[in-house]
Amino acid sequence: MTDLDKLAAQREIGERIGVFAEAMHASETQELRELERQALEEGVPIIRPHTRGLIQCILEMAAPERILEIGTAVGYSALVMHTYAPGPCKIVTIEKDHARAAQARDNFARFGAEGITLMEGDAADILQELDGPFDFIFLDAAKGQYIRYLPDIIRLLPPGGVLLTDNVLKEGEILESKFVVKRRDRTIHKRMREYLTAISRDPRLRTVLMETGDGAALSVKRRI
Ligand code: SAM
């Protein structure tokens, strides 16, 4: 077996594990299932079931009282966090697309989710003005911008605070050399690599990269 064959076999196993793991996370409330179905039908990119499972575990472990989400879309993941937070919890979520923000507001009202505050605008501007701490930050917006948000994210996390970054592997493309990546995707590829290096090497964080969903990075702010 050549090295390339081994790589292909490993990738296939990785993909099969991914499909298996996603199938394990089928259960959720009827209301959330309906919202998920609607979002997928309208082509809105929302968290995958495996990522939802990871978020549910984080909520139980960290029992956050204040959550910050960057990238609301129509409010699905914010409502997952609202539904599964084990105790009283305030959620601030940021969305820059007006139509999506309006849909999210309607969904929050329909779910009676008064603990969720939507901030409409560009996360780069809003983050600078925000005061923390947020015990759990879920980063799920424009992948090329994550590196810009990092200084504010670290400022907003208390010691022991958790940062979950979604879609960090871009279907495995991030592992490839930039020369294999299509020219139009090279900037995002470079910035995501910079971001992953930064969260992995920053002495204030402990970070682990996972294959969850489309790749997730779990970071904890160290208690030093
Ligand atoms: N977290 C959502 C969920 O799982 O239900 C999905 C979020 S979707 C992947 C990413 C969202 O981030 C999009 O709705 C997009 O409009 C928003 N976004 C992109 N760049 C942004 C920015 N600079 N500031 C705020 N929101 C942004």
Side-chain angles (χ1 to χ4, degrees):
M1 204 186 226
T2 66
D3 283 352
L4 270 179
D5 290 337
K6 279 186 203 156
L7 209 62
Q10 275 170 4
R11 185 164 281 184
E12 196 194 317
I13 290 173
E15 278 168 14
R16 288 184 58 204
I17 292 172
V19 171
F20 181 77
E22 297 269 313
M24 287 283 169
H25 291 287
S27 69
E28 58 178 330
T29 68
Q30 179 62 36
E31 270 180 309
L32 282 172
R33 215 173 7 248
E34 179 52 27
L35 184 57
E36 180 184 35
R37 192 196 56 72
Q38 218 179 314
L40 293 175
E41 218 172 76
E42 291 169 10
V44 179
I46 56 168
I47 48 165
R48 298 182 187 184
H50 199 200
T51 309
R52 190 184 68 237
L54 178 61
I55 288 175
Q56 286 168 313
C57 287
I58 292 171
L59 293 172
E60 285 297 335
M61 283 190 288
E65 289 175 8
R66 290 192 73 199
I67 297 177
L68 172 64
E69 175 181 65
I70 306 163
T72 318
V74 295
Y76 174 72
S77 52
L79 284 164
V80 165
M81 295 190 280
H82 176 264
T83 304
Y84 293 103
C89 159
K90 297 268 179 220
I91 301 175
V92 173
T93 181
I94 306 174
E95 174 57 53
K96 80 166 183 192
D97 182 277
H98 178 66
R100 283 195 179 160
Q103 251 180 298
R105 272 195 201 95
D106 286 349
N107 287 329
F108 297 155
R110 200 154 50 82
F111 275 68
E114 281 160 17
I116 304 180
T117 305
L118 181 92
M119 298 185 77
E120 191 178 327
D122 193 321
D125 304 325
I126 292 175
L127 283 174
Q128 286 178 18
E129 305 295 325
L130 267 185
D131 284 327
F134 290 94
D135 323 294
F136 176 30
I137 300 182
F138 179 45
L139 177 51
D140 190 21
K143 318 303 162 210
Q145 300 300 313
Y146 289 1
I147 188 75
R148 279 179 72 196
Y149 304 156
L150 192 56
D152 280 311
I153 286 175
I154 293 178
R155 170 179 65 78
L156 292 168
L157 279 175
V162 176
L163 164 66
L164 179 67
T165 313
D166 201 15
N167 305 113
V168 296
L169 297 179
K170 260 192 120 233
E171 311 286 347
E173 199 174 273
I174 294 302
L175 315 179
E176 309 293 351
S177 147
K178 69 174 180 196
F179 298 108
V180 181
V181 173
K182 286 191 204 89
R183 192 169 284 274
R184 64 159 200 263
D185 292 334
R186 281 194 190 157
T187 306
I188 199 166
H189 179 270
K190 178 170 167 279
R191 290 197 187 153
M192 183 53 88
R193 284 270 191 117
E194 280 169 10
Y195 176 76
L196 292 178
T197 305
I199 56 173
S200 301
R201 302 209 179 139
D202 191 305
R204 293 166 294 180
L205 299 174
R206 291 266 185 237
T207 292
V208 60
L209 302 185
M210 296 172 292
E211 283 181 55
T212 309
D214 186 22
L218 181 63
S219 310
V220 181
K221 187 162 172 185
R222 293 179 61 200
R223 298 165 202 271
I224 44 172

